[in-house]
Coordinates of all heavy atoms in Angstrom, one line a residue:
M1 N -34.2 -55.5 -30.6 CA -33.2 -56.2 -31.4 C -31.8 -55.9 -30.9 O -31.0 -56.9 -30.9 CB -33.3 -55.6 -32.9 CG -32.5 -56.4 -33.9 SD -32.8 -58.1 -34.0 CE -33.6 -58.2 -35.5
K2 N -31.5 -54.7 -30.5 CA -30.1 -54.4 -30.0 C -29.9 -55.2 -28.7 O -28.8 -55.7 -28.4 CB -29.9 -53.0 -29.7 CG -29.8 -52.1 -31.0 CD -29.6 -50.7 -30.6 CE -29.5 -49.8 -31.9 NZ -29.3 -48.4 -31.6
F3 N -31.0 -55.4 -27.9 CA -30.9 -56.1 -26.6 C -30.5 -57.6 -26.9 O -29.6 -58.1 -26.2 CB -32.2 -56.0 -25.8 CG -32.1 -56.7 -24.5 CD1 -31.4 -56.3 -23.5 CD2 -32.8 -57.9 -24.4 CE1 -31.4 -57.0 -22.3 CE2 -32.8 -58.6 -23.2 CZ -32.1 -58.1 -22.1
A4 N -31.2 -58.2 -27.9 CA -30.9 -59.6 -28.2 C -29.5 -59.7 -28.7 O -28.8 -60.7 -28.4 CB -31.9 -60.0 -29.3
A5 N -29.0 -58.8 -29.5 CA -27.6 -58.9 -30.0 C -26.6 -58.7 -28.9 O -25.6 -59.4 -28.8 CB -27.4 -57.8 -31.1
A6 N -26.9 -57.8 -27.9 CA -26.0 -57.6 -26.8 C -26.0 -58.9 -25.9 O -25.0 -59.3 -25.4 CB -26.4 -56.4 -26.0
L7 N -27.2 -59.5 -25.7 CA -27.3 -60.7 -24.9 C -26.5 -61.8 -25.5 O -25.8 -62.6 -24.9 CB -28.8 -61.0 -24.7 CG -29.1 -61.9 -23.5 CD1 -28.6 -61.3 -22.3 CD2 -30.6 -62.1 -23.5
T8 N -26.6 -61.9 -26.8 CA -25.9 -63.0 -27.6 C -24.4 -62.8 -27.5 O -23.6 -63.7 -27.3 CB -26.3 -63.0 -29.1 OG1 -27.7 -63.2 -29.1 CG2 -25.6 -64.1 -29.8
G9 N -24.0 -61.5 -27.6 CA -22.5 -61.2 -27.5 C -22.0 -61.6 -26.1 O -20.9 -62.1 -26.0
I10 N -22.8 -61.2 -25.1 CA -22.3 -61.6 -23.7 C -22.3 -63.1 -23.5 O -21.3 -63.6 -22.9 CB -23.3 -60.9 -22.7 CG1 -23.1 -59.4 -22.7 CG2 -23.0 -61.4 -21.3 CD1 -24.1 -58.6 -21.9
A11 N -23.3 -63.8 -24.0 CA -23.3 -65.2 -23.9 C -22.1 -65.9 -24.6 O -21.4 -66.8 -24.1 CB -24.6 -65.8 -24.5
L12 N -21.7 -65.4 -25.8 CA -20.5 -65.9 -26.5 C -19.2 -65.6 -25.7 O -18.3 -66.4 -25.7 CB -20.5 -65.3 -27.9 CG -21.5 -65.8 -28.9 CD1 -21.5 -65.0 -30.2 CD2 -21.3 -67.3 -29.1
L13 N -19.2 -64.4 -25.1 CA -18.0 -64.0 -24.4 C -17.8 -64.9 -23.2 O -16.7 -65.4 -22.9 CB -18.1 -62.6 -23.9 CG -16.9 -62.0 -23.1 CD1 -15.6 -62.1 -24.0 CD2 -17.2 -60.6 -22.7
V14 N -18.9 -65.2 -22.4 CA -18.8 -66.0 -21.3 C -18.5 -67.5 -21.7 O -17.6 -68.1 -21.1 CB -20.2 -66.0 -20.5 CG1 -20.2 -67.1 -19.5 CG2 -20.4 -64.7 -19.9
A15 N -19.0 -67.9 -22.8 CA -18.8 -69.3 -23.2 C -17.3 -69.4 -23.7 O -16.7 -70.5 -23.4 CB -19.7 -69.7 -24.4
S16 N -16.8 -68.5 -24.4 CA -15.4 -68.6 -24.8 C -14.4 -68.5 -23.6 O -13.4 -69.2 -23.6 CB -15.1 -67.5 -25.8 OG -15.1 -66.2 -25.2
T17 N -14.8 -67.7 -22.6 CA -13.9 -67.7 -21.4 C -13.9 -69.0 -20.7 O -12.9 -69.5 -20.3 CB -14.4 -66.5 -20.5 OG1 -14.4 -65.3 -21.2 CG2 -13.5 -66.4 -19.3
A18 N -15.1 -69.6 -20.6 CA -15.3 -70.9 -19.9 C -14.5 -72.0 -20.7 O -13.9 -72.9 -20.1 CB -16.7 -71.2 -19.7
M19 N -14.6 -72.0 -22.0 CA -13.9 -73.0 -22.8 C -12.4 -72.8 -22.8 O -11.7 -73.8 -22.9 CB -14.4 -72.9 -24.3 CG -15.9 -73.3 -24.4 SD -16.3 -74.9 -23.9 CE -15.7 -75.8 -25.3
A20 N -11.9 -71.6 -22.6 CA -10.5 -71.4 -22.6 C -9.9 -72.1 -21.4 O -8.7 -72.4 -21.3 CB -10.2 -69.9 -22.6
G21 N -10.7 -72.3 -20.3 CA -10.2 -73.0 -19.2 C -9.4 -72.1 -18.3 O -10.0 -71.5 -17.4
G22 N -8.2 -72.0 -18.5 CA -7.3 -71.2 -17.7 C -7.0 -71.9 -16.4 O -7.4 -73.0 -16.1
T23 N -6.2 -71.3 -15.6 CA -5.7 -71.9 -14.4 C -6.7 -71.5 -13.3 O -7.0 -70.4 -13.1 CB -4.3 -71.4 -14.0 OG1 -3.4 -71.7 -15.1 CG2 -3.8 -72.1 -12.8
K24 N -7.1 -72.5 -12.5 CA -8.0 -72.2 -11.4 C -7.3 -71.5 -10.3 O -6.2 -71.8 -10.0 CB -8.6 -73.6 -10.8 CG -9.7 -73.4 -9.8 CD -10.3 -74.7 -9.5 CE -11.4 -74.4 -8.4 NZ -12.1 -75.6 -8.0
T25 N -8.0 -70.5 -9.7 CA -7.4 -69.7 -8.7 C -8.0 -70.1 -7.3 O -9.2 -70.3 -7.3 CB -7.7 -68.2 -8.9 OG1 -7.2 -67.8 -10.2 CG2 -7.1 -67.3 -7.9
Y26 N -7.2 -70.2 -6.3 CA -7.6 -70.5 -5.0 C -7.3 -69.4 -4.1 O -6.6 -68.5 -4.4 CB -6.9 -71.8 -4.5 CG -7.1 -73.0 -5.4 CD1 -6.2 -73.2 -6.4 CD2 -8.2 -73.9 -5.2 CE1 -6.4 -74.3 -7.3 CE2 -8.3 -75.0 -6.0 CZ -7.5 -75.2 -7.0 OH -7.6 -76.3 -7.9
Q27 N -7.9 -69.4 -2.8 CA -7.5 -68.4 -1.9 C -7.4 -68.9 -0.5 O -8.1 -70.0 -0.2 CB -8.5 -67.2 -1.9 CG -9.9 -67.5 -1.3 CD -10.8 -66.3 -1.3 OE1 -10.8 -65.5 -2.2 NE2 -11.6 -66.2 -0.2
V28 N -6.7 -68.3 0.4 CA -6.5 -68.6 1.8 C -6.6 -67.3 2.5 O -5.9 -66.3 2.1 CB -5.3 -69.4 2.1 CG1 -4.0 -68.7 1.7 CG2 -5.3 -69.8 3.6
T29 N -7.3 -67.2 3.6 CA -7.5 -66.0 4.4 C -7.1 -66.3 5.8 O -7.5 -67.3 6.4 CB -8.9 -65.5 4.3 OG1 -9.2 -65.2 3.0 CG2 -9.1 -64.2 5.1
G30 N -6.4 -65.4 6.4 CA -6.0 -65.6 7.9 C -4.9 -64.6 8.3 O -4.4 -63.8 7.5
P31 N -4.5 -64.7 9.5 CA -3.4 -63.8 10.0 C -2.1 -64.3 9.5 O -1.8 -65.5 9.3 CB -3.5 -63.9 11.5 CG -4.2 -65.3 11.8 CD -5.1 -65.5 10.6
V32 N -1.2 -63.3 9.3 CA 0.2 -63.6 8.8 C 1.0 -64.0 10.0 O 1.0 -63.3 11.1 CB 0.8 -62.4 8.1 CG1 2.3 -62.7 7.8 CG2 0.0 -62.1 6.9
L33 N 1.7 -65.2 10.0 CA 2.6 -65.6 11.0 C 4.0 -65.3 10.8 O 4.8 -65.1 11.7 CB 2.5 -67.2 11.2 CG 1.1 -67.7 11.5 CD1 1.1 -69.2 11.6 CD2 0.6 -67.1 12.9
E34 N 4.4 -65.2 9.5 CA 5.8 -65.0 9.1 C 5.9 -64.4 7.7 O 5.1 -64.8 6.8 CB 6.6 -66.3 9.2 CG 8.0 -66.2 9.0 CD 8.7 -67.5 9.2 OE1 8.1 -68.5 9.5 OE2 9.9 -67.6 8.9
V35 N 6.8 -63.5 7.5 CA 7.0 -62.9 6.1 C 8.5 -62.9 5.9 O 9.3 -62.4 6.6 CB 6.5 -61.4 6.1 CG1 6.8 -60.8 4.7 CG2 5.0 -61.3 6.4
K36 N 8.8 -63.6 4.8 CA 10.2 -63.6 4.3 C 10.2 -63.1 2.9 O 9.2 -62.8 2.3 CB 10.8 -65.0 4.3 CG 10.9 -65.6 5.7 CD 11.5 -67.0 5.6 CE 11.6 -67.7 6.9 NZ 12.1 -69.1 6.9
E37 N 11.4 -63.0 2.3 CA 11.5 -62.4 0.9 C 10.8 -63.3 -0.1 O 10.2 -62.8 -1.0 CB 13.0 -62.3 0.5 CG 13.2 -61.6 -0.8 CD 14.7 -61.4 -1.1 OE1 15.4 -61.2 -0.2 OE2 15.0 -61.5 -2.3
D38 N 10.8 -64.6 0.1 CA 10.2 -65.5 -0.9 C 9.0 -66.3 -0.4 O 8.5 -67.2 -1.1 CB 11.3 -66.5 -1.4 CG 11.9 -67.3 -0.3 OD1 11.7 -67.0 0.9 OD2 12.6 -68.3 -0.6
V39 N 8.5 -66.1 0.8 CA 7.4 -66.9 1.4 C 6.6 -66.0 2.4 O 7.2 -65.2 3.1 CB 7.9 -68.2 2.0 CG1 8.6 -68.0 3.3 CG2 6.8 -69.2 2.2
V40 N 5.3 -66.3 2.4 CA 4.5 -65.8 3.5 C 3.8 -66.9 4.1 O 3.3 -67.9 3.4 CB 3.5 -64.7 3.0 CG1 2.5 -65.3 1.9 CG2 2.7 -64.1 4.1
V41 N 3.7 -66.9 5.5 CA 3.0 -68.0 6.2 C 1.8 -67.5 6.8 O 1.8 -66.5 7.5 CB 4.0 -68.6 7.3 CG1 3.3 -69.7 8.1 CG2 5.3 -69.0 6.8
V42 N 0.6 -68.1 6.5 CA -0.7 -67.7 6.9 C -1.3 -68.8 7.7 O -1.2 -70.0 7.4 CB -1.6 -67.4 5.7 CG1 -3.0 -67.0 6.1 CG2 -1.0 -66.3 4.8
Q43 N -2.0 -68.4 8.8 CA -2.7 -69.4 9.7 C -4.1 -69.5 9.2 O -4.8 -68.5 9.1 CB -2.7 -68.8 11.1 CG -3.4 -69.8 12.1 CD -2.5 -70.9 12.6 OE1 -1.3 -70.6 12.8 NE2 -3.0 -72.0 12.8
K44 N -4.5 -70.8 8.8 CA -5.9 -71.0 8.4 C -6.4 -72.1 9.3 O -6.0 -73.3 9.2 CB -5.9 -71.5 7.0 CG -7.4 -71.8 6.5 CD -7.4 -72.2 5.1 CE -8.9 -72.4 4.7 NZ -9.0 -72.9 3.3
G45 N -7.2 -71.7 10.3 CA -7.7 -72.7 11.3 C -6.5 -73.1 12.1 O -5.8 -72.3 12.7
K46 N -6.3 -74.4 12.2 CA -5.1 -75.0 12.9 C -3.9 -75.2 12.0 O -2.8 -75.6 12.5 CB -5.5 -76.3 13.6 CG -6.5 -76.1 14.7 CD -6.9 -77.4 15.3 CE -7.9 -77.2 16.4 NZ -8.3 -78.5 17.1
E47 N -4.1 -75.0 10.7 CA -3.0 -75.2 9.8 C -2.2 -74.0 9.4 O -2.7 -72.9 9.4 CB -3.5 -75.8 8.5 CG -4.3 -77.1 8.6 CD -4.8 -77.6 7.3 OE1 -5.0 -76.8 6.4 OE2 -5.1 -78.8 7.2
K48 N -0.9 -74.2 9.2 CA 0.0 -73.1 8.7 C 0.2 -73.3 7.2 O 0.7 -74.4 6.8 CB 1.3 -73.1 9.4 CG 1.2 -72.8 10.9 CD 2.5 -72.9 11.6 CE 2.4 -72.6 13.1 NZ 3.7 -72.8 13.8
W49 N -0.1 -72.3 6.4 CA 0.0 -72.4 5.0 C 1.2 -71.6 4.6 O 1.3 -70.3 4.8 CB -1.2 -71.8 4.3 CG -2.4 -72.7 4.4 CD1 -3.0 -73.2 5.5 CD2 -3.2 -73.2 3.3 NE1 -4.1 -73.9 5.2 CE2 -4.2 -74.0 3.9 CE3 -3.1 -73.1 1.9 CZ2 -5.2 -74.6 3.1 CZ3 -4.1 -73.7 1.2 CH2 -5.1 -74.4 1.7
E50 N 2.2 -72.2 4.0 CA 3.4 -71.5 3.4 C 3.2 -71.3 1.9 O 3.1 -72.3 1.2 CB 4.7 -72.3 3.6 CG 5.1 -72.4 5.1 CD 6.5 -73.1 5.3 OE1 7.2 -73.2 4.3 OE2 6.7 -73.5 6.4
I51 N 3.1 -70.1 1.5 CA 2.8 -69.7 0.1 C 4.0 -68.9 -0.4 O 4.4 -67.9 0.1 CB 1.5 -68.9 0.0 CG1 0.4 -69.8 0.6 CG2 1.3 -68.6 -1.4 CD1 -0.9 -69.1 0.7
A52 N 4.6 -69.5 -1.5 CA 5.7 -68.8 -2.1 C 5.3 -67.5 -2.8 O 4.2 -67.3 -3.2 CB 6.4 -69.7 -3.2
K53 N 6.2 -66.5 -2.8 CA 6.0 -65.3 -3.5 C 7.4 -64.9 -4.1 O 8.4 -65.3 -3.7 CB 5.5 -64.2 -2.6 CG 6.4 -63.8 -1.4 CD 5.7 -62.8 -0.5 CE 6.6 -62.2 0.5 NZ 7.5 -61.2 0.0
D54 N 7.3 -64.0 -5.1 CA 8.5 -63.5 -5.8 C 8.3 -62.0 -6.1 O 7.4 -61.4 -5.7 CB 8.9 -64.4 -7.0 CG 7.8 -64.4 -8.1 OD1 6.9 -63.5 -8.1 OD2 7.8 -65.3 -8.9
K55 N 9.2 -61.5 -6.9 CA 9.2 -60.1 -7.3 C 8.0 -59.7 -8.0 O 7.6 -58.6 -8.0 CB 10.5 -59.7 -8.0 CG 10.6 -60.4 -9.4 CD 11.8 -60.0 -10.1 CE 12.0 -60.7 -11.4 NZ 10.9 -60.7 -12.3
D56 N 7.3 -60.7 -8.7 CA 6.1 -60.4 -9.5 C 4.8 -60.5 -8.7 O 3.8 -60.1 -9.2 CB 6.0 -61.3 -10.7 CG 7.2 -61.2 -11.6 OD1 7.7 -60.0 -11.8 OD2 7.7 -62.2 -12.2
T57 N 4.9 -60.9 -7.4 CA 3.7 -61.0 -6.6 C 3.2 -59.6 -6.2 O 4.0 -58.8 -5.7 CB 4.0 -61.8 -5.3 OG1 4.5 -63.1 -5.6 CG2 2.8 -61.9 -4.4
K58 N 2.0 -59.3 -6.5 CA 1.4 -58.0 -6.2 C 0.9 -58.0 -4.8 O 0.1 -58.8 -4.4 CB 0.2 -57.7 -7.2 CG -0.4 -56.4 -6.9 CD -1.6 -56.2 -7.9 CE -2.3 -54.9 -7.6 NZ -3.5 -54.7 -8.3
V59 N 1.5 -57.1 -4.0 CA 1.1 -56.9 -2.6 C 0.5 -55.5 -2.4 O 1.2 -54.5 -2.7 CB 2.4 -57.1 -1.7 CG1 2.0 -56.9 -0.2 CG2 3.0 -58.5 -1.9
T60 N -0.7 -55.5 -1.9 CA -1.3 -54.2 -1.5 C -1.5 -54.1 0.0 O -1.8 -55.1 0.6 CB -2.7 -54.1 -2.2 OG1 -3.5 -55.1 -1.9 CG2 -2.5 -54.0 -3.7
G61 N -1.3 -53.0 0.5 CA -1.3 -52.8 2.0 C 0.0 -53.1 2.6 O 1.0 -53.4 2.0
D62 N 0.0 -53.2 4.0 CA 1.2 -53.4 4.8 C 1.2 -54.9 5.1 O 0.5 -55.3 6.1 CB 1.1 -52.5 6.0 CG 2.4 -52.5 6.8 OD1 3.4 -52.9 6.2 OD2 2.4 -52.0 7.9
L63 N 2.0 -55.6 4.4 CA 2.2 -57.1 4.7 C 3.2 -57.2 5.9 O 4.4 -57.0 5.7 CB 2.7 -57.8 3.5 CG 2.9 -59.3 3.6 CD1 1.6 -60.0 4.0 CD2 3.4 -59.9 2.3
K64 N 2.7 -57.6 7.0 CA 3.5 -57.8 8.2 C 2.9 -58.9 9.1 O 1.7 -59.2 9.0 CB 3.7 -56.5 9.0 CG 2.5 -55.9 9.5 CD 2.8 -54.6 10.2 CE 1.5 -54.0 10.7 NZ 1.7 -52.7 11.3
V65 N 3.7 -59.4 10.0 CA 3.2 -60.4 11.0 C 2.0 -59.8 11.7 O 2.0 -58.7 12.2 CB 4.3 -60.8 11.9 CG1 3.7 -61.7 13.0 CG2 5.4 -61.5 11.2
G66 N 0.9 -60.6 11.8 CA -0.3 -60.1 12.5 C -1.4 -59.6 11.6 O -2.5 -59.5 12.0
S67 N -1.0 -59.1 10.4 CA -2.0 -58.6 9.5 C -2.9 -59.7 9.0 O -2.5 -60.8 8.8 CB -1.3 -58.0 8.2 OG -0.4 -57.0 8.6
K68 N -4.2 -59.4 8.8 CA -5.1 -60.4 8.2 C -5.0 -60.2 6.7 O -5.1 -59.1 6.2 CB -6.5 -60.2 8.7 CG -7.5 -61.2 8.1 CD -8.9 -61.1 8.7 CE -9.8 -62.1 8.1 NZ -11.2 -62.0 8.5
V69 N -4.8 -61.3 6.0 CA -4.6 -61.2 4.5 C -5.5 -62.2 3.8 O -5.9 -63.2 4.4 CB -3.1 -61.5 4.1 CG1 -2.2 -60.4 4.7 CG2 -2.7 -62.9 4.6
T70 N -5.7 -62.0 2.6 CA -6.3 -62.9 1.7 C -5.3 -63.1 0.5 O -5.0 -62.2 -0.1 CB -7.7 -62.4 1.1 OG1 -8.6 -62.3 2.2 CG2 -8.3 -63.4 0.1
V71 N -4.9 -64.4 0.4 CA -3.9 -64.7 -0.6 C -4.6 -65.4 -1.7 O -5.2 -66.5 -1.5 CB -2.7 -65.5 0.0 CG1 -1.7 -65.9 -1.1 CG2 -2.1 -64.8 1.1
M72 N -4.5 -64.9 -2.9 CA -5.0 -65.6 -4.1 C -3.8 -66.3 -4.8 O -2.7 -65.7 -5.0 CB -5.6 -64.6 -5.1 CG -6.6 -63.7 -4.5 SD -8.1 -64.6 -3.9 CE -8.8 -65.1 -5.5
Y73 N -3.9 -67.6 -5.1 CA -2.8 -68.4 -5.6 C -3.3 -69.4 -6.6 O -4.5 -69.7 -6.7 CB -2.0 -69.1 -4.5 CG -2.8 -70.1 -3.8 CD1 -2.7 -71.5 -4.1 CD2 -3.6 -69.8 -2.7 CE1 -3.4 -72.4 -3.4 CE2 -4.3 -70.7 -2.0 CZ -4.2 -72.0 -2.3 OH -5.0 -73.0 -1.7
T74 N -2.4 -69.9 -7.4 CA -2.7 -71.0 -8.4 C -1.8 -72.2 -8.1 O -0.7 -72.0 -7.5 CB -2.6 -70.6 -9.8 OG1 -1.2 -70.2 -10.0 CG2 -3.5 -69.4 -10.2
M75 N -2.2 -73.3 -8.5 CA -1.3 -74.5 -8.4 C -0.6 -74.7 -9.8 O -1.3 -74.8 -10.8 CB -2.0 -75.7 -8.0 CG -2.5 -75.6 -6.6 SD -3.1 -77.2 -6.1 CE -4.3 -76.7 -4.9
K76 N 0.7 -74.8 -9.8 CA 1.4 -75.0 -11.0 C 2.5 -76.0 -10.8 O 3.3 -75.9 -9.9 CB 2.0 -73.7 -11.4 CG 2.9 -73.7 -12.7 CD 3.5 -72.4 -12.9 CE 4.6 -72.5 -13.9 NZ 5.5 -71.4 -14.0
A77 N 2.6 -77.0 -11.7 CA 3.6 -78.0 -11.6 C 5.0 -77.4 -11.9 O 5.2 -76.7 -12.8 CB 3.4 -79.1 -12.6
A78 N 6.0 -77.8 -11.1 CA 7.4 -77.3 -11.3 C 8.1 -78.3 -12.2 O 8.8 -78.0 -13.1 CB 8.1 -77.2 -10.0
T79 N 7.9 -79.6 -11.9 CA 8.4 -80.7 -12.7 C 7.4 -81.8 -12.8 O 6.6 -82.0 -11.8 CB 9.8 -81.2 -12.2 OG1 9.6 -81.8 -10.9 CG2 10.8 -80.2 -12.2
I80 N 7.5 -82.6 -13.8 CA 6.7 -83.8 -14.0 C 7.6 -84.9 -14.5 O 8.2 -84.7 -15.5 CB 5.5 -83.6 -14.9 CG1 4.5 -82.5 -14.4 CG2 4.7 -84.9 -15.1 CD1 3.4 -82.1 -15.3
E81 N 7.6 -86.0 -13.8 CA 8.4 -87.2 -14.2 C 7.5 -88.4 -14.5 O 6.9 -88.9 -13.5 CB 9.5 -87.5 -13.2 CG 10.4 -88.6 -13.6 CD 11.4 -88.9 -12.5 OE1 11.7 -88.1 -11.7 OE2 12.0 -90.1 -12.6
A82 N 7.4 -88.8 -15.7 CA 6.5 -90.0 -16.0 C 7.4 -91.2 -16.0 O 8.6 -91.2 -16.5 CB 5.9 -89.8 -17.4
K83 N 6.9 -92.3 -15.4 CA 7.7 -93.5 -15.2 C 7.2 -94.6 -16.0 O 7.4 -95.8 -15.7 CB 7.7 -93.9 -13.7 CG 8.3 -92.8 -12.9 CD 9.1 -93.3 -11.8 CE 9.7 -92.2 -11.0 NZ 10.9 -92.4 -10.3
G84 N 6.5 -94.4 -17.1 CA 5.9 -95.4 -17.9 C 4.5 -95.8 -17.6 O 3.9 -95.1 -16.7
E85 N 4.0 -96.8 -18.3 CA 2.6 -97.2 -18.1 C 2.4 -97.9 -16.8 O 3.3 -98.6 -16.3 CB 2.1 -98.0 -19.2 CG 2.1 -97.4 -20.6 CD 1.6 -98.3 -21.7 OE1 1.3 -99.4 -21.4 OE2 1.6 -97.8 -22.8
A86 N 1.2 -97.7 -16.2 CA 0.8 -98.5 -15.0 C 0.6 -100.0 -15.5 O 0.2 -100.2 -16.6 CB -0.4 -98.0 -14.4
K87 N 0.8 -100.9 -14.6 CA 0.6 -102.3 -15.0 C -0.8 -102.6 -15.5 O -0.9 -103.4 -16.4 CB 1.0 -103.2 -13.8 CG 2.4 -103.2 -13.4 CD 2.8 -104.1 -12.3 CE 4.2 -104.0 -11.9 NZ 4.6 -104.8 -10.8
G88 N -1.8 -102.0 -14.9 CA -3.2 -102.3 -15.3 C -3.4 -101.7 -16.7 O -4.2 -102.3 -17.5
D89 N -2.8 -100.6 -17.1 CA -2.9 -100.1 -18.4 C -2.4 -101.0 -19.5 O -2.9 -101.0 -20.7 CB -2.3 -98.7 -18.5 CG -3.1 -97.6 -17.7 OD1 -4.2 -97.9 -17.4 OD2 -2.5 -96.6 -17.4
A90 N -1.3 -101.7 -19.3 CA -0.6 -102.5 -20.3 C -1.5 -103.7 -20.7 O -1.6 -104.0 -21.8 CB 0.7 -103.0 -19.7
K91 N -2.3 -104.2 -19.8 CA -3.2 -105.3 -20.0 C -4.3 -104.9 -20.9 O -4.8 -105.6 -21.7 CB -3.7 -105.9 -18.7 CG -2.7 -106.6 -17.9 CD -3.2 -107.2 -16.7 CE -2.2 -107.8 -15.8 NZ -2.7 -108.3 -14.5
K92 N -4.8 -103.7 -20.7 CA -6.0 -103.2 -21.4 C -5.7 -103.0 -22.9 O -6.5 -103.1 -23.8 CB -6.5 -101.9 -20.8 CG -7.1 -102.0 -19.5 CD -7.6 -100.7 -18.9 CE -8.2 -100.8 -17.6 NZ -8.6 -99.6 -17.0
K93 N -4.4 -102.6 -23.3 CA -4.1 -102.3 -24.7 C -4.0 -103.5 -25.5 O -4.0 -103.4 -26.7 CB -2.8 -101.5 -24.7 CG -3.0 -100.1 -24.2 CD -1.7 -99.3 -24.4 CE -2.0 -97.8 -24.0 NZ -0.9 -97.0 -24.3
K94 N -3.8 -104.7 -25.0 CA -3.6 -105.9 -25.8 C -4.9 -106.4 -26.4 O -5.9 -106.3 -26.2 CB -3.0 -107.0 -24.9 CG -1.6 -106.7 -24.6 CD -1.0 -107.9 -23.8 CE 0.5 -107.6 -23.5 NZ 1.1 -108.7 -22.8

C-alpha cells in the first residue's frame, strides 16, 4: 500500500513538473576560443557560438581559452514587436 502511494506521488510530481512547462535548456560543448567579461565563444564543429554571460552566470572550473566546456543556456526574447495581423489571417476572420 505504501509503495502504491509513493508511486502515485512520484507520478503526480512528474506530471506537475511537465505541465509547468518551464524554459527549455540547451547545451553546446567544445573548446573555448575567446573569453570576455560578457561573452564566451565556443567552437562547435565548424561553427563559432557566441554565448552571452553576466555576473549571475555560474562558472565552475578554470574558464580560459583552450578549455573544453559544456555551456547550458536558454533562449529568451529580449524584445517582441508585433506589426498587426498577417494578410491571410484577416480573410479568415470575416
Side-chain angles (χ1 to χ4, degrees):
M1 186 60 107
K2 288 182 183 180
F3 179 72
L7 203 55
T8 302
I10 291 171
L12 288 173
L13 180 63
V14 169
S16 66
T17 303
M19 295 300 281
T23 306
K24 187 171 181 181
T25 302
Y26 302 91
Q27 75 176 34
V28 60
T29 301
V32 175
L33 300 179
E34 187 176 355
V35 179
K36 295 181 181 177
E37 186 175 325
D38 60 347
V39 71
V40 61
V41 181
V42 177
Q43 182 83 37
K44 181 178 180 184
K46 294 181 180 181
E47 298 179 339
K48 294 178 182 177
W49 289 55
E50 290 188 16
I51 302 171
K53 64 184 188 78
D54 60 18
K55 62 179 178 53
D56 297 324
T57 303
K58 181 181 175 186
V59 178
T60 57
D62 190 14
L63 180 60
K64 61 183 179 181
V65 173
S67 299
K68 183 177 179 182
V69 296
T70 298
V71 179
M72 304 299 289
Y73 64 95
T74 59
M75 290 190 209
K76 177 184 165 194
T79 62
I80 298 174
E81 181 179 340
K83 301 218 180 207
E85 295 180 359
K87 291 180 182 178
D89 290 343
K91 290 179 184 177
K92 290 180 183 177
K93 289 187 175 185
K94 289 183 178 182

